[in-house]
């Protein structure tokens, strides 16, 4: 393939623009905020699960406390009824003995229930403290996720701006290239990542491999307008005074 040496040198400008576009693409895929967001989402789910678990435990304790309080109220109501019967003086000796025995039993039962209730309320107080702490941790996790998302969006906006500028620049640069040369460049870039590079000090600027003596001889013998490709990476090697020829 033949191309004016000046046109070939302009491939270096195109390669520089494409390298910047490639860096934008790579940067977009590897933003540290992406991994940070994934970890923040994981932490958020864990905190949400913790809040749910503690909330379930707290709900169970509240129901148990209510059940215990209801049972205590029932015992107290029974005690009050028996005391009224005793105070009325209308019961016989045997019933009196039975009522006194029942009152003693009810008193012991109420004491045991009240002790259990106190233990339940202490447990509930501890779980309520855990719940408040879990809510605080959940808020922190949500804020961490929001912060990472904001920083990701800001970084993406910067990358999109850079990409738009470089894409417009590329459109202008490629306008002056002959189609065969541009097709070759794009084909090599699609397969190898770099379409053209400077041959500098006997070294290919794309793969950084130094050309051996026979390869350098072939390059030296090539006409100035001949398009020369690297035998190792296929990149178009642009020859200038720096090429060591």
């Amino acid at each position: 393939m033949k191309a004016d040496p000046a046109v070939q040198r302009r491939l270096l400008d195109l390669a520089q623009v494409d390298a910047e576009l490639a860096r934008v693409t790579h940067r977009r895929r590897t933003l540290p905020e992406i991994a940070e967001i994934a970890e923040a989402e994981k932490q958020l789910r864990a905190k949400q699960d913790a809040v749910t678990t503690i909330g379930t435990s707290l709900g169970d304790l509240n129901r148990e406390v209510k059940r215990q309080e209801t049972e205590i109220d029932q015992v107290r109501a029974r005690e009050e009824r028996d005391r009224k019967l005793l105070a009325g003086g209308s019961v016989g000796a045997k019933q009196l003995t039975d009522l006194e025995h029942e009152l003693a039993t009810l008193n012991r039962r109420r004491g045991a229930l009240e002790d259990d209730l106190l233990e339940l309320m202490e447990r509930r107080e501890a779980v309520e403290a855990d719940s408040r702490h879990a809510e605080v941790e959940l808020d922190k996790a949500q804020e961490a996720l929001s912060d990472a998302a904001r920083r990701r969006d800001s970084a993406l906006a910067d990358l999109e701006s850079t990409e738009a500028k470089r894409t417009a620049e590329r459109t202008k640069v490629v306008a002056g290239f002959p189609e065969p040369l541009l097709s070759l460049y794009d084909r090599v870039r699609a397969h190898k990542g770099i379409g053209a590079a400077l041959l500098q000090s006997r070294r290919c600027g794309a793969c950084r491999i130094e050309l051996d003596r026979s390869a350098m001889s072939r390059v030296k013998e090539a006409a100035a307008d001949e398009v020369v490709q690297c035998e190792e990476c296929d990149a178009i090697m642009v020859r200038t005074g720096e090429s060591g020829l």
Side-chain angles (χ1 to χ4, degrees):
M1 182 181 294
K2 302 289 185 177
D4 186 277
V7 173
Q8 291 190 47
R9 284 193 290 272
R10 287 177 50 224
L11 284 173
L12 298 178
D13 297 331
L14 178 58
Q16 182 178 356
V17 172
D18 283 336
E20 292 178 8
L21 286 170
R23 283 192 290 271
V24 168
T25 299
H26 176 74
R27 171 70 173 162
R28 183 183 285 116
R29 289 198 306 264
T30 59
L31 280 174
E33 289 82 4
I34 294 175
E36 189 176 342
I37 286 171
E39 178 61 25
E41 288 174 338
K42 178 181 176 182
Q43 291 298 320
L44 180 60
R45 288 192 295 270
K47 302 303 182 184
Q48 289 171 333
D49 290 344
V51 167
T52 300
T53 299
I54 293 172
T56 300
S57 297
L58 187 57
D60 292 342
L61 282 170
N62 283 332
R63 284 188 293 273
E64 186 63 19
V65 166
K66 187 172 181 60
R67 186 193 65 78
Q68 201 80 350
E69 289 174 339
T70 298
E71 190 168 354
I72 289 172
D73 289 341
Q74 291 172 345
V75 172
R76 285 173 176 166
R78 184 69 177 269
E79 286 180 307
E80 183 64 22
R81 188 202 65 175
D82 287 353
R83 289 194 187 94
K84 287 181 180 179
L85 287 174
L86 286 174
S90 59
V91 297
K94 183 177 184 308
Q95 189 176 5
L96 178 63
T97 301
D98 290 342
L99 285 172
E100 289 174 344
H101 177 72
E102 184 175 273
L103 276 170
T105 301
L106 290 171
N107 184 63
R108 289 192 298 272
R109 174 60 177 163
R110 178 168 52 80
L113 289 172
E114 289 174 343
D115 288 343
D116 291 344
L117 178 60
L118 180 60
E119 180 182 348
L120 283 171
M121 294 179 74
E122 289 174 347
R123 286 170 54 195
R124 182 174 67 178
E125 183 177 350
V127 173
E128 286 173 341
D130 290 342
S131 179
R132 290 191 294 271
H133 177 72
E135 291 288 350
V136 170
E137 292 299 306
L138 177 59
D139 289 342
K140 290 180 180 178
Q142 289 172 329
E143 179 55 34
L145 176 58
S146 297
D147 177 65
R150 284 192 296 268
R151 287 186 281 108
R152 176 204 58 192
D153 293 343
S154 177
L156 287 176
D158 290 342
L159 290 173
E160 288 172 4
S161 176
T162 300
E163 185 177 49
K165 292 177 182 177
R166 295 295 175 263
T167 300
E169 184 178 346
R170 188 181 198 278
T171 300
K172 293 180 181 179
V173 171
V174 299
F177 286 104
E179 181 58 33
L181 180 62
L182 184 60
S183 294
L184 174 62
Y185 169 87
D186 284 336
R187 184 167 61 252
V188 173
R189 183 172 65 90
H191 286 86
K192 303 295 185 176
I194 299 178
L198 176 66
L199 175 61
Q200 187 176 32
S201 301
R202 304 168 59 94
R203 190 180 297 275
C204 172
C207 64
R208 307 305 301 168
I209 293 178
E210 185 174 345
L211 275 64
D212 59 26
R213 185 172 301 175
S214 62
M216 282 299 296
S217 295
R218 285 191 293 273
V219 173
K220 287 179 180 180
E221 293 170 0
D225 63 349
E226 185 174 343
V227 176
V228 177
Q229 292 178 257
C230 175
E231 295 180 353
E232 294 293 333
C233 68
D234 287 338
I236 298 171
M237 293 189 297
V238 178
R239 291 163 288 167
T240 69
E242 301 178 55
S243 299
L245 300 175

